[in-house]
Amino acid sequence: MSNKIDIDGDNADKNYGAMSTLAQVCATIAQSFLLVGLGMELTMSTIVIQDLYNNPKSEFSLTTDQVSWYGSILFVFHPTGSFLSGFLQERFGRKRCMVLANVPSIFGWIMLYYTHSVVTLYASTVLMGLSIGFSEAPILSYVGEITEPRHRGTMASLASAAAMIGMLLIYILGYFFEWRTVALLSTLCPITCICLVVLIPESPLWLIANGKHEKAKKSLCWLRGWVKPEMVRAELLELVRYNEVSGARNGKVNVEKNNISSKLAQLMDPSVYRPFRLVMIIFFISYIVCLLPSKPYFSQIMNEVGLSEDRSLLFVIFAVLQIIGCIILVLSVKHLGKRFLAVMSVSINTILIILFGLYIMALKNGYTESTPWIPTMILSGISLFGTSISTLPWMLVSEIFPNKSRGVAAGSCAASSYLLMFILTKSYLIVEINLTLEYTMLLFGGIGIFGLVYLYFYLPETEKKTLLEIEEYFK
């Protein structure tokens, strides 16, 4: 069969109208509540640490070593959930896995509300980590499979914006309420998510790959604006052809090969490991230039640069700026492309991080007096402009892998990214203690320069490309 067949074939440029866009937005928003929860769970440690770190007035307090573990333990159990979901979503579908991912989150928030010791604090974090990890693979696969090429970048960035909204919600709640109350209110997010996800259709590509063509037709009718079957017939045929070209199993044809060992073997296929390697390097770059390894310790960093007052308000401001960055990304990605926005984001953040390191150096050596507006502006800029590069790897994961391996590849990629995040977060304090804060920032700036060069030479443009065109690039 010709390699020129694309996922949408003759319909690649077909415009189904406003109702199609609305349907895809509705489906994206419904599943994005998982990402809202993800943002809330990732940020909650900052609120808890702020109240419990070396605080003799609290019921129990956290030492420096316990803070280090609490800030990073979340990322230890992400990979477990991500890896498992990569296999389970292939068997049970994207939709069922997204519903299931909310269950440990609910129990995690409730346990955090009732925690009275460091052990139960860790246990609640473990449940949240499993929930986050379990949700990643189906979310990433789902967005890439339900959207038209012309909308894929916008929908992926819209989904990523949901995580920023979750972070903002936690900072706002933390500003007004004590952390236990924040944990209790946060249980509403996974409950809402379950209610919304049950209303959206399963991925038509997953249904086709499992031989359920009639259900795939109904799903596609829903996703293209609740249209009649004849409207999506041509696109459905092209999805079937794409499924065959991409090598996904069809019904019972390859059932005997549908085991864990064969799925892991797919990761060695050049069409999988090449994009996998690219995405992991981008994850590393994005974590560094957005200062994510230092997030759990941001309160201490702000104290060191003279921003000890109104820290909760500053956290809210930073989160709002991230939301604004996401809005800019949603509106511009279709016109400017992912590549340009990523290169621009890394360039600006690298400059800001180097300036941050130089400011701290000047402050400690007495070359300047403490000027709170300088670090405030620098950290605000990092929050605003870092959105593109922090969102890029997740956008790529939703579209860069072949259909035959998308589930296990997305799960393995998410698992590896969180394992990387654990290593960086756990080692951050060691690096800062040995290098001091200013030289740690300069080190991050140096890594940002390396990242800029790498992105310029190796990052392809995937915006407005069909899934098969992207797949062919890495073969």
Side-chain angles (χ1 to χ4, degrees):
M1 189 172 293
S2 171
N3 286 337
K4 292 184 179 179
I5 294 173
D6 58 57
I7 187 173
D8 298 296
D10 297 331
N11 292 315
D13 297 319
K14 180 175 180 179
N15 190 336
Y16 285 93
M19 291 302 291
S20 172
T21 302
L22 176 62
Q24 292 169 68
V25 168
C26 289
T28 301
I29 289 176
Q31 63 89 44
S32 292
F33 268 81
L34 270 170
L35 289 168
V36 173
L38 181 151
M40 297 173 77
E41 289 162 341
L42 287 176
T43 311
M44 189 62 192
S45 61
T46 304
I47 304 299
V48 175
I49 289 172
Q50 182 175 310
D51 287 344
L52 298 184
Y53 179 54
N54 288 337
N55 184 2
K57 297 181 180 179
S58 62
E59 182 180 353
F60 66 98
S61 62
L62 299 175
T63 64
T64 301
D65 186 58
Q66 289 169 337
V67 164
S68 174
W69 275 107
Y70 178 56
S72 56
I73 199 173
L74 193 72
F75 303 108
V76 176
F77 291 90
H78 284 190
T80 304
S82 297
F83 192 71
L84 288 174
S85 70
F87 295 100
L88 293 177
Q89 67 162 319
E90 293 295 333
R91 182 175 180 84
F92 299 107
R94 321 311 193 202
K95 181 176 175 179
R96 290 175 184 172
C97 284
M98 286 192 286
V99 172
L100 182 61
N102 288 282
V103 176
S105 178
I106 294 172
F107 285 106
W109 285 117
I110 293 174
M111 182 176 288
L112 180 59
Y113 174 74
Y114 286 107
T115 190
H116 296 285
S117 67
V118 176
V119 174
T120 52
L121 185 67
Y122 288 169
S124 67
T125 308
V126 169
L127 288 173
M128 292 181 187
L130 289 172
S131 174
I132 293 173
F134 215 91
S135 65
E136 289 288 1
I139 288 174
L140 299 171
S141 300
Y142 189 78
V143 174
E145 293 173 354
I146 68 167
T147 53
E148 301 168 71
R150 65 193 179 99
H151 289 319
R152 194 179 303 122
T154 301
M155 295 301 171
S157 55
L158 181 63
S160 298
M164 307 296 180
I165 293 173
M167 294 178 184
L168 175 61
L169 284 174
I170 285 295
Y171 287 135
I172 291 175
L173 292 173
Y175 184 75
F176 291 103
F177 302 105
E178 187 255 353
W179 63 270
R180 290 186 190 275
T181 306
V182 174
L184 186 63
L185 292 173
S186 297
T187 58
L188 295 174
C189 182
I191 293 173
T192 303
C193 183
I194 292 175
C195 295
L196 292 177
V197 169
V198 297
L199 300 177
I200 61 177
E202 179 57 86
S203 161
L205 259 178
W206 181 84
L207 292 169
I208 290 171
N210 285 269
K212 302 178 181 180
H213 288 207
E214 282 301 314
K215 290 184 177 180
K217 183 191 297 183
K218 293 179 181 179
S219 172
L220 203 56
C221 287
W222 196 102
L223 292 166
R224 296 301 177 258
W226 306 280
V227 298
K228 295 180 179 180
E230 52 267 25
M231 290 286 293
V232 299
R233 185 178 293 114
E235 183 177 2
L236 181 65
L237 289 174
E238 292 302 330
L239 288 174
V240 173
R241 293 174 193 163
Y242 167 69
N243 177 63
E244 295 170 353
V245 170
S246 189
R249 70 185 189 280
N250 190 359
K252 298 182 180 180
V253 173
N254 294 322
V255 169
E256 70 274 11
K257 296 181 181 180
N258 188 31
N259 52 54
I260 293 179
S261 59
S262 64
K263 286 293 183 183
L264 288 175
Q266 291 177 5
L267 296 176
M268 300 307 295
D269 189 299
S271 65
V272 178
Y273 76 72
R274 286 174 182 168
F276 187 94
R277 179 181 59 197
L278 171 68
V279 171
M280 289 310 303
I281 293 175
I282 297 175
F283 267 122
F284 175 71
I285 295 168
S286 68
Y287 289 161
I288 294 298
V289 300
C290 293
L291 300 183
L292 292 186
S294 66
K295 287 292 183 182
Y297 321 109
F298 238 48
S299 293
Q300 296 93 300
I301 293 174
M302 292 169 74
N303 284 339
E304 195 165 341
V305 296
L307 298 176
S308 57
E309 297 182 4
D310 295 326
R311 285 178 301 182
S312 297
L313 180 59
L314 285 175
F315 285 143
V316 173
I317 292 173
F318 296 154
V320 169
L321 289 171
Q322 288 179 323
I323 298 295
I324 294 173
C326 280
I327 294 172
I328 295 172
L329 179 62
V330 170
L331 297 176
S332 62
V333 66
K334 186 182 294 187
H335 305 288
L336 299 178
K338 301 183 186 76
R339 175 183 164 84
F340 173 82
L341 290 172
V343 170
M344 181 190 70
S345 176
V346 173
S347 301
I348 295 174
N349 271 32
T350 297
I351 293 172
L352 290 174
I353 290 172
I354 293 173
L355 289 176
F356 191 43
L358 293 175
Y359 170 77
I360 299 170
M361 188 181 297
L363 185 65
K364 288 186 175 181
N365 287 283
Y367 296 130
T368 184
E369 296 181 354
S370 178
T371 313
W373 70 265
I374 294 179
T376 300
M377 293 299 293
I378 291 175
L379 294 175
S380 296
I382 292 173
S383 298
L384 176 64
F385 295 106
T387 305
S388 294
I389 188 59
S390 64
T391 302
L392 175 66
W394 299 111
M395 295 170 71
L396 290 178
V397 170
S398 71
E399 62 185 7
I400 206 169
F401 296 113
N403 190 43
K404 65 178 181 180
S405 312
R406 186 170 296 122
V408 66
S412 300
C413 201
S416 301
S417 71
Y418 285 122
L419 183 60
L420 173 63
M421 188 61 184
F422 165 73
I423 295 171
L424 292 175
T425 304
K426 189 70 179 71
S427 60
Y428 173 80
L429 279 181
I430 299 174
V431 174
E432 185 185 318
I433 290 171
N434 285 278
L435 294 183
T436 68
L437 180 59
E438 60 269 30
Y439 286 106
T440 300
M441 292 299 108
L442 292 177
L443 172 64
F444 282 12
I447 295 174
I449 294 173
F450 157 79
L452 180 62
V453 174
Y454 181 86
L455 291 178
Y456 182 82
F457 285 104
Y458 295 104
L459 178 63
E461 181 56 77
T462 62
E463 186 61 21
K464 296 183 181 179
K465 300 289 181 65
T466 64
L467 295 179
L468 191 59
E469 287 174 339
I470 298 170
E471 184 178 333
E472 288 293 325
Y473 176 86
F474 290 99
K475 283 187 177 180

